[in-house]
């Protein structure tokens, strides 16, 4: 499967820094061998979309509401994102779950809404430190997958991306062993298979959490890993391009 590398810029980079990073990424990324996307903060979307026009670099949003329009002060509509040219949206990132109270029900509604409006959802799942210590990793991520793609919800596996992001590894410099990553990815693949049947094979499962230019090869070589969701190391062109290069050689 062709790898996918996604840069989650989080609440970093203003417009001029975003434009400069896009310019450098367009020169540095190996687009012939990797699919790549960046997710800037909302106010920078227009500048980034203009910067990538006519290139293979895709643009995603970090969040959205599940309704297309209405009285939801401060929220952003999937319809408006699609109309701008956005094609990906990160859903259920652990920072949104932990800091902004995003529930499994909201995640499920957002997945359905994203697909209805032509956006490819990147659904994040992962256990926290205590759950890991209690040996509950598999149980937690399978439950998150089942909730995100709840039976009865009109989700399809087409253009769906899942990111396994252990909460304890995000922004900490700590990473799981490749074997742990593989076990988690296999559990996700099985849960997707139970929900969607054979078409689940086409869903790309990314690893995220402290991916760097230095550790990318080891993490991305783990079985069932089809790319990376990168936070801190996506903020400079050199490190993001090195991660992309590592992905192509796995
Ligand atoms: P990190 O973030 O690479 O800075 O750990 C990853 C993420 O939150 O998606």
């Amino acid at each position: 499967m062709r790898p996918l590398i996604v840069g989650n810029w989080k609440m970093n980079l203003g417009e001029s820094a975003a434009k400069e990073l896009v310019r450098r990424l367009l020169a540095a990324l190996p687009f012939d061998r990797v699919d790549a996307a960046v997710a800037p903060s909302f106010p920078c979307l227009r500048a980034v979309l203009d910067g990538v026009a006519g290139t293979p670099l895709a643009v995603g949003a970090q969040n959205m509401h599940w309704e297309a329009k209405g009285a939801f002060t401060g929220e952003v509509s999937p319809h408006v994102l699609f109309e701008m040219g956005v094609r990906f949206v990160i859903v259920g990132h652990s920072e949104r779950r932990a800091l902004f109270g995003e529930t499994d029900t909201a995640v499920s509604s957002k997945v359905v809404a994203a697909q209805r409006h032509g956006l490819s959802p990147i659904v994040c799942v992962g256990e926290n430190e205590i759950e890991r210590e209690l040996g509950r990793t598999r149980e937690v991520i399978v439950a998150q997958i089942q909730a995100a793609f709840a039976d009865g919800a009109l989700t399809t596996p087409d253009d769906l991306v899942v990111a396994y992001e252990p909460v304890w590894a995000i922004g900490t410099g700590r990473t799981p062993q490749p074997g742990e990553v593989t076990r988690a990815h296999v559990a996700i693949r099985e849960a997707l298979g139970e929900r969607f049947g054979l078409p689940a094979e086409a869903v790309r499962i990314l690893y995220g959490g402290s991916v760097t230019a230095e550790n990318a090869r080891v993490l991305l070589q783990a079985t069932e890993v089809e790319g990376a969701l990168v936070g801190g190391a996506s903020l400079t062109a050199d490190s993001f391009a090195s991660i992309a290069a590592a992905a192509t050689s796995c």
Side-chain angles (χ1 to χ4, degrees), residues 8 10 93 95 165 169-171 209-211 229-232:
N8 174 9
K10 307 194 181 186
H93 189 280
E95 284 151 17
E165 297 210 307
I170 295 177
S210 293
V211 178
L229 179 54
V230 186

Side-chain angles (χ1 to χ4, degrees), residues 171-209:
T172 59
R174 293 166 58 208
T175 53
Q177 296 297 318
E180 283 178 85
V181 177
T182 295
R183 275 197 296 283
H185 282 230
V186 167
I188 291 168
R189 179 76 65 204
E190 285 171 5
L192 290 170
E194 275 171 30
R195 173 66 175 81
F196 297 118
L198 252 192
E201 292 297 315
V203 176
R204 281 192 283 202
I205 308 176
L206 314 181
Y207 169 77

